[in-house]
Amino acid sequence: MVSGSPYFQVSFFIFVLGCSVCGSLVGDPYVFYDWTVSYLTTSPLGDEQQVIGINGQFPGPILNITTNWNVVVNVKNDLDEPLLLTWNGIQHRKNSWQDGVSGTNCPIPAGWNWTYEFQVKDQIGSFFYFPSLNFQRAAGGYGGIIINNRDVIPLPFGMPDGDITIFISDWYTKSHKGLRKDVENGVDLGVPDGILINGLGPYRYDQALVKDGIVYQIINVEPGKTYRFRVHNVGISTSLNFRIQNHNLLLVETEGSYTVQQNYSNMDIHVGQSYSFLVTMDQNASSDYYIVASPWFVNSSDWAKLNGVSILHYSNSQGLATGPLPDPPNVYDTYFSMNQARSIRWNVSAGAARPNPQGSFKYGDITVTDVYVILNRPAELIDGKRRTTLNGISYLPPSTPLKLAQQFKILGVYKLDFPNKLMNRPPKLDTSLINGTFKGFMEIIFQNNNTRVQSYHLEFWMAMHSLL
Ligand SMILES: *[C@@H]1O[C@H](CO)[C@@H](O)[C@H](O)[C@H]1NC(C)=O
Ligand SMILES: *[C@@H]1O[C@H](CO)[C@@H](O)[C@H](O)[C@H]1NC(C)=O
Ligand SMILES: *[C@@H]1O[C@H](CO)[C@@H](O)[C@H](O)[C@H]1NC(C)=O
Ligand SMILES: *[C@@H]1O[C@H](CO)[C@@H](O)[C@H](O)[C@H]1NC(C)=O
Ligand SMILES: *[C@@H]1O[C@H](CO)[C@@H](O)[C@H](O)[C@H]1NC(C)=O
Ligand SMILES: *[C@@H]1O[C@H](CO)[C@@H](O)[C@H](O)[C@H]1NC(C)=O
Ligand SMILES: *[C@@H]1O[C@H](CO)[C@@H](O)[C@H](O)[C@H]1NC(C)=O
Ligand SMILES: *[C@@H]1O[C@H](CO)[C@@H](O)[C@H](O)[C@H]1NC(C)=O
């Protein structure tokens, strides 16, 4: 499945017809978790507000597991509305009924519980989970997923001295229900109220911009040690530039792949992305250091005031962090971000679990079976509501979930007619899916015709039975 950022609620599905190979889950360890998802009251930006927590924590607990483990999470929904947890980046190769994606997995009704069960087969890396419906992610409900190498597979770098998860996100003080109503009524959400780091507001780096009394994140470290920082942008729509004052970020992994190791002084992290950096505490401890996440690809002075700021505190630090924040990259260099993304390379010699590429290493030899140019456009009026579209279609979730319609061969729930380019016809609402070819290779080109950054979340699943 491919969906736009939750902000825009546009999505479409790709059906790949055929039967996937089903191995045995027997033999690999099982881990069990009991989670209760409920509202909590916290004050990230100084004033009390409702957030979504898990087992009383915001952000939620970290799922710390190892390649091939079977994970069983019994989730109790104590919210007052349906909840669907999505396991971002987990490849549900055996059971897409458990992926937490709308259309294949039903939401958990308020007051009910549901047990997600999946195997993290042949995967390593840093991911996160989040509530994917009803704009709930704007209120939290997210947490980290760490998938460790099996013991027999060495890391492609020295074992870090510590493992630190960082969530960065745009944040509104309005409730997710209020924001949802605004979006439904076509009201622009405007500039966020702040940028959070690990669910906490900024350190008071500027007396005028940050009010007193905000609780901020302090990361405690020892001089000379090297830590793995796993940084996730869990926000709604804002791209963020991440940096740690005076410290290099040695990129080692992103989205479940070990990378060629390169130093960066800052990294653009778009909504939904996850990066692992090794950071060595190689600076003198004359003071604490700033950890910054600042909005990117936005252009107004209102945005310039928003910075997520945490503190890197050496155990022998001589004082507080003071002075200006480390500079962001040059905002007028529009190619900076693209060039930075292109500089990231997969380390194919790193020993790691990775999904069976089924011959896809020989990219030059691939016969492309389908080409889709997918164009998103700013919201336009369809049946009186503002809707964003992909190739002129705004996805309409059917009342019968796609997966059930397929399993029970219920005709008419969806159409397999998603166009491979923008058609010359008025925009419409439809349950229109891409008809992929089993074992084929699809080339998808995303074309952004909006005036702001659009992030996509691609999630693929194999249909076990064909409707045709
Ligand atoms: C994850 O679990 C492993 C043991 O399986 C432990 O060594 C490691 O410190 C844990 N990591 C975190 C971040 O809790
Ligand atoms: C709900 O939770 C109970 C108690 O933990 C458990 O026995 C039951 O299997 C769960 N139901 C579902 C559908 O996950
Ligand atoms: C790639 O991984 C290998 C194997 O672990 C490692 O020795 C090497 O340093 C890595 N290369 C780069 C450029 O990161
Ligand atoms: C990255 O920077 C650190 C200093 O912070 C340095 O020790 C290391 O050699 C650099 N690594 C690479 C691959 O450039
Ligand atoms: C420590 O670092 C600060 C900031 O980089 C610098 O001004 C200061 O001179 C350094 N002190 C020592 C003793 O190296
Ligand atoms: C940002 O806004 C200024 C003033 O409105 C404008 O001149 C400039 O071109 C804009 N920059 C970008 C990158 O949009
Ligand atoms: C879907 O694609 C298959 C070939 O992969 C084709 O046989 C079938 O007719 C297509 N279905 C529709 C509804 O277009
Ligand atoms: C893309 O946007 C421009 C400016 O809004 C518009 O003129 C153009 O027609 C759009 N192209 C498509 C294919 O929608």
Side-chain angles (χ1 to χ4, degrees):
M1 190 190 103
V2 181
S3 59
S5 76
Y7 184 27
F8 296 107
Q9 299 291 328
V10 286
S11 58
F12 61 90
F13 285 83
I14 299 176
F15 260 44
V16 179
L17 300 175
C19 188
S20 63
V21 182
C22 312
S24 161
L25 300 178
V26 178
D28 294 313
Y30 276 79
V31 279
F32 299 87
Y33 300 93
D34 278 306
W35 285 1
T36 301
V37 181
S38 66
Y39 295 120
L40 307 175
T41 301
T42 64
S43 316
L45 294 174
D47 296 318
E48 283 199 344
Q49 68 176 114
Q50 197 180 57
V51 303
I52 296 175
I54 295 175
N55 292 353
Q57 290 169 244
F58 166 66
I62 291 174
L63 207 54
N64 179 14
I65 50 185
T66 297
T67 307
N68 293 350
W69 284 11
N70 296 290
V71 182
V72 182
V73 195
N74 185 357
V75 179
K76 172 86 197 304
N77 177 11
D78 272 355
L79 305 178
D80 58 355
E81 52 185 21
L83 165 77
L84 183 66
L85 278 187
T86 295
W87 313 91
N88 193 18
I90 303 293
Q91 289 149 13
H92 299 266
R93 300 201 305 148
K94 296 201 170 126
N95 191 351
S96 67
W97 296 90
Q98 300 284 340
D99 58 2
V101 170
S102 171
T104 63
N105 223 178
C106 291
I108 308 170
W112 290 51
N113 68 310
W114 169 257
T115 304
Y116 293 92
E117 185 173 337
F118 51 84
Q119 186 182 25
V120 290
K121 185 75 184 146
D122 296 335
Q123 273 198 279
I124 53 92
S126 315
F127 308 97
F128 65 93
Y129 59 84
F130 64 95
S132 51
L133 296 182
N134 298 324
F135 229 74
Q136 287 160 358
R137 189 162 75 169
Y142 49 77
I145 303 174
I146 294 175
I147 310 181
N148 301 292
N149 279 20
R150 289 187 298 138
D151 283 346
V152 293
I153 313 275
L155 284 170
F157 42 82
M159 180 59 95
D161 298 301
D163 199 302
I164 295 164
T165 292
I166 305 258
F167 301 104
I168 55 179
S169 69
D170 48 16
W171 187 261
Y172 295 85
T173 48
K174 202 175 215 178
S175 73
H176 73 280
K177 290 181 187 173
L179 294 169
R180 189 166 77 205
K181 196 166 285 169
D182 284 352
V183 170
E184 278 164 4
N185 294 333
V187 177
D188 192 277
L189 296 184
V191 178
D193 298 300
I195 306 294
L196 302 193
I197 298 185
N198 289 354
L200 298 171
Y203 169 76
R204 202 170 186 204
Y205 65 97
D206 183 309
Q207 304 283 319
L209 294 182
V210 182
K211 66 179 177 187
D212 198 11
I214 290 180
V215 178
Y216 54 90
Q217 174 79 65
I218 302 173
I219 305 290
N220 289 302
V221 293
E222 297 292 329
K225 304 263 193 215
T226 296
Y227 297 82
R228 180 169 182 173
F229 281 70
R230 303 177 193 255
V231 191
H232 310 275
N233 185 336
V234 293
I236 292 299
S237 69
T238 310
S239 297
L240 296 168
N241 179 267
F242 179 81
R243 52 200 187 272
I244 304 180
Q245 188 178 28
N246 285 14
H247 290 76
N248 271 334
L249 305 170
L250 182 66
L251 178 68
V252 292
E253 179 253 339
T254 181
E255 318 283 348
S257 294
Y258 290 121
T259 63
V260 168
Q261 294 166 22
Q262 296 182 84
N263 276 321
Y264 294 86
S265 53
N266 62 78
M267 180 64 71
D268 282 351
I269 306 186
H270 303 282
V271 169
Q273 291 185 333
S274 301
Y275 287 94
S276 279
F277 307 104
L278 297 184
V279 184
T280 300
M281 300 307 139
D282 55 6
Q283 296 299 299
N284 74 41
S286 55
S287 70
D288 292 345
Y289 294 94
Y290 294 123
I291 300 174
V292 183
S294 51
W296 199 225
F297 293 111
V298 286
N299 185 19
S300 88
S301 53
D302 292 341
W303 287 87
K305 297 188 292 206
L306 298 180
N307 286 297
V309 184
S310 301
I311 290 300
L312 185 74
H313 176 77
Y314 281 47
S315 59
N316 59 341
S317 172
Q318 302 299 301
L320 299 175
T322 51
L325 300 178
D327 284 335
N330 181 352
V331 283
Y332 298 106
D333 182 357
T334 34
Y335 287 98
F336 169 84
S337 196
M338 220 185 285
N339 289 337
Q340 184 181 62
R342 283 183 179 146
S343 72
I344 299 168
R345 292 272 177 275
W346 197 10
N347 183 348
V348 284
S349 65
R354 53 173 87 90
N356 176 4
Q358 296 178 336
S360 58
F361 279 127
K362 297 178 184 154
Y363 289 110
D365 296 343
I366 292 170
T367 307
V368 173
T369 34
D370 314 87
V371 179
Y372 280 84
V373 180
I374 293 177
L375 177 114
N376 65 292
R377 280 208 298 218
E380 49 201 317
L381 276 182
I382 305 177
D383 302 340
K385 289 258 185 196
R386 274 161 53 88
R387 308 271 182 190
T388 53
T389 56
L390 297 177
N391 287 358
I393 298 178
S394 183
Y395 181 70
L396 182 68
S399 53
T400 305
L402 293 177
K403 187 84 177 167
L404 287 178
Q406 189 195 30
Q407 177 84 0
F408 296 104
K409 302 192 187 333
I410 306 167
L411 296 172
V413 174
Y414 57 82
K415 295 174 203 154
L416 286 172
D417 63 353
F418 189 85
N420 64 0
K421 59 178 192 301
L422 181 72
M423 307 298 276
N424 186 17
R425 61 187 183 200
K428 61 173 180 179
L429 280 173
D430 210 352
T431 309
S432 172
L433 315 185
I434 287 183
N435 180 20
T437 310
F438 183 52
K439 289 193 169 172
F441 280 95
M442 195 180 283
E443 182 177 343
I444 303 178
I445 299 152
F446 292 102
Q447 204 181 335
N448 184 0
N449 210 41
N450 203 340
T451 51
R452 55 192 301 171
V453 172
Q454 175 73 48
S455 15
Y456 284 87
H457 172 204
L458 279 101
E459 184 119 16
F460 288 86
W461 50 270
M462 304 274 267
M464 301 292 286
H465 303 278
S466 158
L467 245 193
L468 300 167

